[in-house]
Amino acid sequence: NMKFIGHLFLRSLLTARIIGQIIQELAMCGDADKIPAEHILECICELLKSIGFTLDSMPAGKEAIKQVSGRLMDLKQRKDKKGKGVYPMRIQFMIQDLIDTKNAGWMKKSFKAAAKTKEEIRQDAQRDERTQKTDGSEVVIAGQRPAWMSSDSVGGKSPGPGAKTDDGPWQDVPTRSRK
């Protein structure tokens, strides 16, 4: 469900302000005494992994990410009365991975094992030689709007996140009145 919400945002069907309200409400930023459930934190991390770069490039989104990141770090470090972490290590590492990805400019390593042609293998080997990598990983930007969505059909230039594009006459509303 969070990936679906993220894709709605990436397709400009939801605004950065709405997404910011969603993640702030899920993280319970308004009430520091309350502790969200584990699955809520997983939802926040999943959503931010899928839209982080694009959301962070917008003023409303940048502020929301700043607040939620601070709240997530606070929740990660919370201890109960016995001195044990409130959340299991899996959730703590998930939060830390999200924060690390954010601090790295939303860049993360991706390990994809898929069938490739001989030519694709050669190209990958040449790229790995140039970049001095031997682990078979690929660096991707987490939460970037797909290139095919943001490219302009005229010059191939990207208008940027949140920019209005001319989608043709399909969204023009007829002004004919009924009689």
Side-chain angles (χ1 to χ4, degrees), residues 126-171:
Q126 289 172 352
R127 184 191 71 227
D128 289 348
E129 280 180 19
R130 286 192 305 266
T131 60
Q132 303 296 320
K133 289 193 314 182
T134 58
D135 61 356
S137 66
E138 180 182 358
V139 177
V140 296
I141 298 176
Q144 184 177 25
R145 185 170 275 138
W148 61 267
M149 288 180 61
S150 59
S151 64
D152 189 4
S153 60
V154 177
K157 295 181 182 176
S158 173
K164 298 289 182 197
T165 58
D166 183 23
D167 291 330
W170 68 270
Q171 54 179 299

Side-chain angles (χ1 to χ4, degrees), residues 3 13 17 28 33 66 82 88 99 115 122 138 154 164:
K3 282 186 180 182
L13 297 173
R17 187 177 56 82
M28 297 179 183
D33 296 333
K66 183 179 172 184
K82 298 177 185 176
I99 300 298
R122 284 189 197 103
E138 180 182 358
V154 177
K164 298 289 182 197

Side-chain angles (χ1 to χ4, degrees), residues 48-179:
L48 287 178
K49 275 194 273 183
S50 66
I51 65 170
F53 177 81
T54 305
L55 187 63
D56 205 17
S57 65
M58 300 175 178
K62 188 179 291 284
E63 185 61 33
I65 287 178
K66 183 179 172 184
Q67 279 187 329
V68 171
S69 295
R71 173 74 169 151
L72 288 175
M73 285 303 292
D74 175 52
L75 291 171
K76 175 183 165 247
Q77 296 166 352
R78 284 253 173 119
K79 306 280 185 209
D80 61 7
K81 294 174 183 172
K82 298 177 185 176
K84 188 179 172 190
V86 174
Y87 294 106
M89 294 303 286
R90 182 179 68 83
I91 299 295
Q92 292 179 28
F93 283 124
M94 186 181 295
I95 292 170
Q96 188 61 50
D97 186 42
L98 178 71
I99 300 298
D100 291 344
T101 302
K102 176 186 170 281
N103 291 338
W106 299 101
M107 303 287 257
K108 67 177 182 178
K109 281 188 177 181
S110 174
F111 296 92
K112 293 183 179 177
K116 296 180 182 180
T117 64
K118 286 182 182 180
E119 185 58 33
E120 290 173 331
I121 293 171
R122 284 189 197 103
Q123 289 172 353
D124 287 350
Q126 289 172 352
R127 184 191 71 227
D128 289 348
E129 280 180 19
R130 286 192 305 266
T131 60
Q132 303 296 320
K133 289 193 314 182
T134 58
D135 61 356
S137 66
E138 180 182 358
V139 177
V140 296
I141 298 176
Q144 184 177 25
R145 185 170 275 138
W148 61 267
M149 288 180 61
S150 59
S151 64
D152 189 4
S153 60
V154 177
K157 295 181 182 176
S158 173
K164 298 289 182 197
T165 58
D166 183 23
D167 291 330
W170 68 270
Q171 54 179 299
D172 293 340
V173 179
T175 57
R176 214 173 33 183
S177 62
R178 289 186 167 165
K179 291 185 181 182

